[in-house]
Structures are given as C-alpha cells and as structure tokens.
C-alpha cells in the first residue's frame, strides 16, 4: 500500500502536467475547429464567394453549390428529365433530349467546364459532357438553363470532354470506347469483337463555338483503337494544342483490368488543334456520314428546336502531317493537366509510382529534331526522356488528377491512399499532403485549370463517404471536402454531401456571374406561339380532338380556372403564361391524372403541359409553387365528359 501511495504521489505532478497539456491541446483543437467554422461561415443574407458547378454523374444533371459554405443552391436539368420543373416533360423542352437514337431521357454527366476568355473564366457559359449517349451541353450562366445540346457522332463513351480552348474557340471531346470503324466512312461495323486490333478505332472531336454560343462539329481526328480518358487544352506557349490521355495501348477487348495494364507506358495524345483547324478550313480530310442531332433554345419563343446533321469532316493523321503526337506516359494515365504557365503537362498514371511532368518546350524541340521512338497509325511517338521535365516521387498511391494554385504549386489526388498531395511544379518535389475521406477522384481549385487560378480553396471530390454523414441505408451521397490552401500547409475546413456521383467540378467568383443574372423574362419579348400575355388573351380552342388552353397565372389565380367541354380521348395542351414581372415569383401547374410532370413557369415565361384525360369527371388543377398568402386558393377545375358527348367548350372565372 505504501508503495502504491508513493507511486501515485510520484506521478501526481505528471498527471497534472498531462492534464494541463491535454487541456491546452483540446483548446488548440477547438480553436482550430472554430477557425475552420469561421472560414466557411456565410452570415444570413450574405453571399458565398464562389459558384461551384458539380457534375451529377449518373443523375445527368449539374448541381450548383456555394463555396465556402457548401450550401446546395440549385440543380440545373441537363441530360435527364426533371419532374420538379417539367424539363424534358414540357412540350417546349422535350426536344432538348432528342438524339439520333431517339428520345433519351437520361444521361451520365461527368466534366463541367466554364467558358474562358484569354485563358480566364468569363462567366458566360458552362459546358458539360454526357458519357453514355455522346453529347455536350451548353448552359447559360445568365439564367442557369440548358441552352443547347449537340450529339457527337462516330463516338462511343464521350468521356474526355468537355474541355475548352483558352478563348472558347472549341470544346473538345474524345471517345472512351473505341469501336469497329470502316476506314472509308467510319461507320460502326458488324464484326467479331476479337478482331479489335484490326477494326477498332477512336475519334477526337473539336466542336466550334460561335460568339453567340452556337456549337457545330468542325472536324474529327481518326485515332488508334485506344480508350481515351481525359483532356485539357494548352495555354500561353502551348495555346493551340490540346492533350488527351489514353490507356489500353495493348488494344485489349476483354478483362481490361489485367489485359490493359501490361504495357509500362501508355500515351498522352498531343493534338495541334490550330493546325488541324487550318487543314479543315482548307477542305482537307474528307466528309463522311456522321448523323447527329443538335438541340437549341429559340430565344424568341422559348421553345427548343432540333436539327439533324448528316456529315462530319474527318482528318486522318496518316495523311495530314503534324496534327497529333504521342507522349509516352506511365501507366494507365487518367488525368492530364496543364499548369498556369502553359509550360508543363502533368499526367496521373493510375498504376504509376510517380507523376510524370512533361515539358512543352522539350516536346517542341523533340518534334523539331524528330526525336521519335516509333509511330502508331502514322502518329509519331516521342522519346520519353526527351520530353520529360521531371517525375514527382512518392505522390501517393493511385494518382489521378491535378490542379494548380497561383503560387507555383500543384495538387494531385491519390485515390488508393485517400490523400491530396501538394508539390512544387518547377522542382517536382512533394511539399505537403493531407488525408481526405475517402478515395478522391477529381479535385477542383476555382480557376485551377486556367491561367489565373484563385489559390484559396481546394475541393476534394471523394468517391466513398462511409462514416462522414448520418447513414441513409446502402446508398449514400458522395462526399466533397473543402480544404484551405492559402497557407503553406493544407487544412481541412468542411465536409458536405453532393448529389449523384460528381466526377469533376469547376468554380468561379460570384462577381463574374451575379451581375448578369436574368431575374424575369419580359412579357413583351415573349413570342411563344401560344402565349397569353394578358387575361384578355386567355382562351380555350378546340381543333378536332386537340384542345389548346391559353392560360395565364398571376398571384393568386389562373385564368381560366373553370373549363368545360373537354372529352375523353382529347389531347389537351395547357399553355401557361406566368404574367408576373417580378424576380423570384414562379408559378407551378399540375392537374390530376397527368402522367408526365408538373410545370414550373418563371415570370414572363410560357410552358406547355400535354394532358390526355382517360375517364369522365371533374378534375382539379392547382399551383405547385407557394407563391403568396393565398397560394392554396390558386386552383381550378376541368370537366371531362364522355367521348360522344355534346358539351360545348366553355371557360372563365365566373366573372
């Protein structure tokens, strides 16, 4: 006992010191947490610093988050129908989802890319690709609506897309899955899959963007039958070039996890798009069949229109010198990223133990010296040592994607070791690393792929959430983590869940977007063919078994709100015009028995819901968006009579 008491007394001072140290550590940790909370706190009524645009992956949409708060602000419908707004259901927007395969109401959206001017984000548009049915969409940042979608022909799996050139002259796209193509017309052929090496080819597409935003396929480049993964355009000295990663240089067609991982090096395709564009302008290459659909908003009427195009111009690197060179790159590269100076090209080899960094000036010198180690399908393969700036050692396990700050540093995701690694671009040396939770794919720094990054925040886009949020059964939203990169050491600030499976994201300062917002559509500029710009223009018109309802909505009633004379078997089109001319006063429209969706009509806008009544009765319709204190009273009735009835069309409000 005496010994025990003496032992306790002897360690008591140490316990006191330990307690004080522990208290101090706790206070320090709390202080750190308080500091993080302060950095992400956006006070009531205040705005976030950045708009963040996050791909929705398999939901086909584009989500908008405020940064640094991580607040979900909005979801922009793009490649998938959206019942909350009627996008893809309303008669005006259905055509946006037309393709050469017919109406496709779903998409797999991966890589948003902001428009640029002089290598900097400019706040005009954001583009995003669709992987499954190859397409690119353009969304206007004035109204956060999808304004155009163009299909990419001769492509299968539009993954390396949509990446813009420094003045948004082009948006590029490359096929993920090579498919059998005839050399003459590139049409998909019915051949044995094991004839892959003989018959399968890929394509890289350059879609021209006009000053008004109209997209058109200027040219495609025929490529070997690899899998093309990601891309970024050059800038500064490398402006005029774009870089595309590829894997499966083995040209395997089964068990790619084994058979496409054998070669020590795959390739980055360096494409001289300026030279290729000049060839196309001169009429070089050949026009081949390439049916594709372009859908676009007619801004005068608000309706989406479609056009089907039949041909595209294809350039063959075996015939046209100097448009493509291969840069050997270890191993199964995923991301390819160009630093703000435009001098260095970093690749993320999924199976590589280093991050290879190529030098653009060395690449140019190697081309001039014809320092080649061979060729593939007429494309010269440059010598690895001749183009290498350096290799970043110990970059984490499974390096994938890199973005850049404004201080000469790069940041790369390590998928397997679940970390972000910071490295010095010039020295190719790791200077910091931070754990993330868990398995990051892409990362995003606002402006991080431009010539002028905002080196303040980094967002890790993690594929696995695990224990970060309250569990929601087998499926959980993915995790984004906001990291402070303003100092020497990275600091984790915030977790927030994200919709769908975000792949890539981009962000832009609020000042570049907020001043150009459309707050309502001017009624006098509404040229929709079925618009009723006042209640005096509202009416119901029968044409055979088709009925057009010219309806208005204003706080807090529809006109008309009582309609009779509709019959079973009619096709009824409710053309609803929102007469409001004030910001943030949409009206909704829904009717019992509709088997498509509601409408959400913005001020000054006209949208149309098609409805086919199946049986007699009196059915209500109502406003679905809470618009005023008398929102509940904003409703009406449609009387549906038997098909052979003689009830005449009548309508009104009883006044």
């Amino acid at each position: 006992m005496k010994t025990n008491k003496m032992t306790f007394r002897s360690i008591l001072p140490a316990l006191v010191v330990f307690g004080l140290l522990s208290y101090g550590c706790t206070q320090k940790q709390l202080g750190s947490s308080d500091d993080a909370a302060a950095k992400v706190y956006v006070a009531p009524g205040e705005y976030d610093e950045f708009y963040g645009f996050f791909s929705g992956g398999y939901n086909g949409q584009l989500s908008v988050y405020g940064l640094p708060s991580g607040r979900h602000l909005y979801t922009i419908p793009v490649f998938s129908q959206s019942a909350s707004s009627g996008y893809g259901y309303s008669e005006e927007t259905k055509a946006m989802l037309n393709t050469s395969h017919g109406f496709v109401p779903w998409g797999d959206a991966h890589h948003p890319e902001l428009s640029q001017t002089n290598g900097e984000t400019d706040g005009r548009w954001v583009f995003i690709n669709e992987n499954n049915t190859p397409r690119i969409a353009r969304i206007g940042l004035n109204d956060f609506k999808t304004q155009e979608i163009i299909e990419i022909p001769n492509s299968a799996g539009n993954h390396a897309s949509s990446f813009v050139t420094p003045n948004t002259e082009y948006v590029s796209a490359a096929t993920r899955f090579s498919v059998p193509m005839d050399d003459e017309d590139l049409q998909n052929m019915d051949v044995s899959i094991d004839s892959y090496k003989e018959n399968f080819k890929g394509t890289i597409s350059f879609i021209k963007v006009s000053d008004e935003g109209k997209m058109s396929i200027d040219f495609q480049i025929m490529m070997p039958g690899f899998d093309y993964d990601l891309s970024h355009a050059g800038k500064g000295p490398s402006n005029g070039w774009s870089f595309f990663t590829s894997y499966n240089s083995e040209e395997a067609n089964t068990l790619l996890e084994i058979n496409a991982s054998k070669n020590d090096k795959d390739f980055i395709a360096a494409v001289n798009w300026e030279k290729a564009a000049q060839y196309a302008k001169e009429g070089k290459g050949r026009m081949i069949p390439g049916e594709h659909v372009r859908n676009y908003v007619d801004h005068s009427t608000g309706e989406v229109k479609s056009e089907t195009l039949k041909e595209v111009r294809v350039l063959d690197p075996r015939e046209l010198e100097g448009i493509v060179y291969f840069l050997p790159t270890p191993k199964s590269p995923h991301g390819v990223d160009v630093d703000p100076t435009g001098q260095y090209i970093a690749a993320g080899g999924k199976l590589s133990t280093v991050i290879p960094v190529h030098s653009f000036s060395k690449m140019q010198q190697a081309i001039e010296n014809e320092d080649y180690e061979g060729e593939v399908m007429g494309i010269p393969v440059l010598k690895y040592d001749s183009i290498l700036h350096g290799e970043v050692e110990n970059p984490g396990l499974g390096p994938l994607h890199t973005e850049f700050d404004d201080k000469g540093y790069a940041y790369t995701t390590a998928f397997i070791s679940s970390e972000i690694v910071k490295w010095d671009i010039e020295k190719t040396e790791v200077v910091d690393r931070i754990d993330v939770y868990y398995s990051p794919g892409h990362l995003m720094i606002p402006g991080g792929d431009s010539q002028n990054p905002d080196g303040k925040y980094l967002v890790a886009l993690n594929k696995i959430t695990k224990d970060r949020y309250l569990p929601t059964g087998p499926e959980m939203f993915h995790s984004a983590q906001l990291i402070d990169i303003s100092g020497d050491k990275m600091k984790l600030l915030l977790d927030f869940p994200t919709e769908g499976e975000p792949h890539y994201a981009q962000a832009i300062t609020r000042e570049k977007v907020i001043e150009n917002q459309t707050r309502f559509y001017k009624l006098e500029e509404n040229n929709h063919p079925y618009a009723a710009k006042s209640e005096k223009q509202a009416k119901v018109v029968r044409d055979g078994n088709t009925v057009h309802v010219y309806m208005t909505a204003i706080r807090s009633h529809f006109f008309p709100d009582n309609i009779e004379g509709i019959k079973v078997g009619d096709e009824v089109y409710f053309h609803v015009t929102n007469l409001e001319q004030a910001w943030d006063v949409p009206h909704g429209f829904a009717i019992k028995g509709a088997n498509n969706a509601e409408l959400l009509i913005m001020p000054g806008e006209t949208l149309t819901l098609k409805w086919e009544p199946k049986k007699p009765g009196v059915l209500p319709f109502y406003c679905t968006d809470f618009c005023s204190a008398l929102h509940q009273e904003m409703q009406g009735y449609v009387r549906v009579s038997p098909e052979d009835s003689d009830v005449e069309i009548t309508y009104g409000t009883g006044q």
Side-chain angles (χ1 to χ4, degrees), residues 225-243:
F226 304 157
D227 289 58
Y228 297 87
D229 206 357
L230 276 161
S231 176
H232 270 101
K235 53 188 73 108
S238 55
N239 185 16
W241 291 77
S242 285
F243 303 90

Side-chain angles (χ1 to χ4, degrees), residues 125-428:
W125 309 301
V126 57
F127 301 87
I128 190 166
N129 66 320
E130 204 278 280
N131 188 35
N132 186 65
T133 308
R135 290 172 282 176
I136 289 177
R138 177 177 56 81
I139 294 103
L141 293 185
N142 62 322
D143 60 4
F144 282 57
K145 288 189 175 183
T146 301
Q147 297 180 349
E148 184 177 4
I149 294 178
I150 191 167
E151 191 177 5
I152 312 297
N154 307 319
S155 177
N158 179 36
H159 192 259
S161 171
S162 48
F163 298 98
V164 304
T165 54
N167 283 293
T168 321
E169 303 97 333
Y170 288 97
V171 179
S172 63
T175 184
R176 174 179 172 184
F177 311 109
S178 287
V179 293
M181 290 183 178
D182 180 88
D183 266 357
E184 290 302 314
D185 62 13
L186 289 191
Q187 296 304 286
N188 199 329
M189 302 182 293
D190 175 17
V191 297
S192 173
I193 297 173
D194 64 12
S195 70
Y196 191 106
K197 291 185 179 181
E198 292 76 37
N199 291 313
F200 284 55
K201 294 183 178 65
T203 56
I204 292 176
S205 305
F206 281 83
I207 298 90
K208 197 169 186 62
V209 183
S210 74
D211 291 342
E212 295 75 32
K214 177 183 176 181
M215 296 188 291
S216 58
I217 297 173
D218 195 23
F219 60 90
Q220 296 184 310
I221 301 174
M222 185 187 295
M223 297 292 290
F226 304 157
D227 289 58
Y228 297 87
D229 206 357
L230 276 161
S231 176
H232 270 101
K235 53 188 73 108
S238 55
N239 185 16
W241 291 77
S242 285
F243 303 90
F244 299 80
T245 52
S246 65
Y247 61 98
N248 192 22
S249 56
E250 298 85 351
E251 295 188 278
N253 60 277
T254 182
L255 285 178
L256 264 62
E257 62 179 309
I258 299 170
N259 295 320
S261 301
K262 294 180 178 180
N263 291 344
D264 182 55
K265 291 183 177 66
D266 291 287
F267 300 112
I268 291 172
V271 177
N272 187 334
W273 61 259
E274 277 192 340
K275 178 173 280 191
Q278 184 60 37
Y279 281 141
K281 186 177 180 180
E282 293 170 358
K284 300 290 177 63
R286 63 185 186 276
M287 299 299 293
I288 65 155
E291 183 177 341
H292 59 288
V293 174
R294 173 179 170 259
N295 311 311
Y296 61 96
V297 175
D298 181 332
H299 291 289
S300 67
T301 66
E303 298 172 297
V304 175
K305 297 181 178 179
S306 294
E307 60 178 356
T308 299
L309 304 159
K310 299 292 188 179
E311 290 184 315
V312 289
R313 182 175 300 279
V314 172
L315 309 179
D316 191 330
R318 293 170 294 191
E319 301 170 357
L320 299 170
E321 184 180 357
I323 57 175
V324 188
Y325 297 87
F326 276 140
L327 317 182
T329 301
K331 177 175 185 182
S332 296
H334 187 49
V336 56
D337 304 278
V338 182
D339 86 307
T341 70
Q343 187 58 250
Y344 300 117
I345 304 114
K350 301 188 292 288
L351 303 178
S352 177
T353 58
V354 298
I355 299 172
V357 183
H358 298 307
S359 163
F360 179 74
S361 59
K362 287 185 176 182
M363 184 194 90
Q364 292 286 82
Q365 190 65 48
I367 292 171
E368 184 177 338
N369 295 340
E370 297 186 358
D371 199 0
Y372 307 149
E373 62 179 42
E375 66 173 42
V376 180
M377 208 187 92
I379 299 170
V381 179
L382 303 177
K383 290 182 179 178
Y384 182 72
D385 291 338
S386 298
I387 59 176
L388 188 68
H389 166 64
E391 294 179 335
V392 182
E393 297 183 355
N394 192 23
L397 300 177
L400 294 183
H401 295 282
T402 299
E403 292 224 341
F404 306 93
D405 67 13
D406 55 346
K407 303 177 185 68
Y409 294 105
Y411 302 76
T412 300
T413 55
F415 182 84
I416 297 172
S417 53
S418 291
E419 59 184 326
I420 305 291
V421 178
K422 176 182 177 180
W423 48 278
D424 185 296
I425 300 170
E426 193 64 44
K427 297 177 180 178
T428 63

Side-chain angles (χ1 to χ4, degrees), residues 59-61 77-90 93-94 97 103-107 595-597:
N59 75 13
Q61 315 295 32
V78 186
F79 297 112
S80 297
Q81 291 174 299
S82 174
S84 65
S85 65
Y87 177 86
Y89 293 100
S90 72
T93 60
K94 279 181 182 177
L97 302 179
F103 180 75
V104 179
W106 169 84
N595 59 5
N596 37 26

